[in-house]
Amino acid sequence: MSAAAADLEARLRGILRERYHHLHPFNQRLHGGRCSREEVRRWVKNRYYYQTRIPIKDGLILTKAEDREFRRGWIRRIRDHDGDDAEGARAGGLELWLQLAEACGLERGDVESLRGVLPGVRRACDAYVHFVAEHDLLESVAASLTELSAGPFLAERAAAFRKHYGWIAEDGLAYFLSRTEQAPRDAGEGLAFVLARAQSPADADRCAAALLRKCEILWQLLDGVEWGGRRPRLARAARLREDTAAGGMLAVLPERAVQIGGSGPDVLRACDGQHSAGQIARSLREKHGGAQIEAEVYDFIERMEAQGVLEMQP
């Protein structure tokens, strides 16, 4: 290995030591056994959206590759996630994640529908697909190198689930166990490609920036999961008034008023600081019917937070 390649590898591994999402407070709590069943289920349900984006970004990577041998190797990753109908083939990552969801007590169809995915989670996952769509092959492969840390991390996760979350059946952990084998293999191949193709200091900088961006995306995904557990309440400076002219409600702030229509008043009344965004969304879904209600409640709460009408408590 050349000195430049060795320096780049050390740089990439340094980024992972400092910025990989094993350091995120949610993952620290999850592995330490400090998450409630509701938190674990919220993470499993929302993380499935990330799982569905992986084969999509891998498909985009294939479109950037001129090398047949590269494509033949990389396409295996799509089969690893989507599954393969060949006799004796193992279940794909998407199926194994749905089995985890069922082991956690979630309804497969509800998770698979992707309705009710938290808005911050959706943005983070979509940002990864967008990054790959907008960047070249070298940067796209470099972004995938979070897998250098994934194998050992997922082995720790399986052990943590066995130790702290015994209410989840052992067969629900199959995804974690499968990735402890697949991630190191994939990471080794991706790293070899990056070290061989990064020919200049500028290339090395681009690879490091791509990996850093992917770490940021994984961090933002967990921020989005945590947001769903926060408890919204009316901001201290906000006051609710009936909007007799429009037939809705006004949220009056010191410098402006925000008009609230549709089911918005019901949502605001439920934001009492005692219930999480997830609990409120589920309650209104049960009250009004229709799975889409849950996603609409999340989007509304997030908009009201951005406009200063609501504030979110840990």
Side-chain angles (χ1 to χ4, degrees), residues 44 48 90-108 111-112 168-176:
V44 168
Y48 180 72
R90 295 189 299 183
L94 291 175
E95 172 60 27
L96 293 179
W97 197 272
L98 289 170
Q99 291 175 17
L100 170 63
E102 290 180 308
C104 289
L106 295 167
E107 294 183 11
R108 167 185 285 254
V111 176
E112 201 168 13
I168 300 175
E170 175 69 20
D171 59 6
L173 307 183
Y175 176 83
F176 307 144

Side-chain angles (χ1 to χ4, degrees), residues 10 24 68 82 202 206 228 246 285 287:
H24 192 285
R68 181 179 66 173
D82 282 345
R206 291 193 299 120
R285 172 182 172 175
K287 178 179 178 181

Side-chain angles (χ1 to χ4, degrees), residues 101-281:
E102 290 180 308
C104 289
L106 295 167
E107 294 183 11
R108 167 185 285 254
D110 188 44
V111 176
E112 201 168 13
S113 73
L114 304 179
R115 290 187 293 265
V117 173
L118 290 158
V121 172
R122 189 179 292 273
R123 279 197 302 273
C125 298
D126 290 347
Y128 185 28
V129 174
H130 180 74
F131 179 90
V132 172
E134 295 297 317
H135 290 76
D136 69 10
L137 180 61
L138 179 61
E139 290 169 287
S140 299
V141 174
S144 77
L145 293 181
T146 48
E147 290 180 314
L148 287 166
S149 292
F153 181 64
L154 289 172
E156 294 173 9
R157 174 162 290 164
F161 269 58
R162 290 189 184 106
K163 179 179 179 180
H164 301 297
Y165 308 108
W167 51 276
I168 300 175
E170 175 69 20
D171 59 6
L173 307 183
Y175 176 83
F176 307 144
L177 299 175
S178 71
R179 291 302 295 162
T180 61
E181 300 175 9
Q182 294 168 355
R185 177 202 66 200
D186 292 347
E189 293 172 354
L191 179 62
F193 178 88
V194 166
L195 297 182
R197 296 299 183 92
Q199 297 293 313
S200 67
D203 286 343
D205 288 345
R206 291 193 299 120
C207 291
L211 183 58
L212 181 59
R213 177 64 183 129
K214 174 65 178 305
C215 287
E216 291 172 348
I217 287 169
L218 292 176
W219 199 278
Q220 290 162 359
L221 188 162
L222 291 174
D223 285 344
V225 170
E226 286 200 313
W227 180 91
R230 297 188 184 279
R231 295 172 291 131
R233 70 178 183 187
L234 194 67
R236 291 176 177 82
R239 298 291 182 272
L240 298 182
R241 301 284 186 270
E242 294 296 326
D243 184 2
T244 54
M249 179 181 287
L250 288 175
V252 181
L253 297 165
E255 297 179 353
R256 67 187 187 284
V258 179
Q259 192 172 46
I260 311 296
S263 61
D266 284 347
V267 179
L268 287 183
R269 293 187 189 100
C271 294
D272 56 6
Q274 302 300 312
H275 298 88
S276 70
Q279 290 170 331
I280 292 168

Side-chain angles (χ1 to χ4, degrees), residues 10-20 208-209 211-212 215:
R11 184 177 179 184
L12 296 173
R13 292 187 184 276
I15 289 171
L16 292 173
R17 282 194 301 273
E18 296 178 4
R19 304 300 293 273
Y20 188 59
L211 183 58
L212 181 59
C215 287

Side-chain angles (χ1 to χ4, degrees), residues 282-302:
R282 287 195 301 275
S283 175
L284 290 172
R285 172 182 172 175
E286 293 169 1
K287 178 179 178 181
H288 296 289
Q292 187 59 32
I293 291 292
E294 189 173 354
E296 292 172 357
V297 170
Y298 287 137
D299 289 340
F300 176 80
I301 291 175
E302 190 179 53

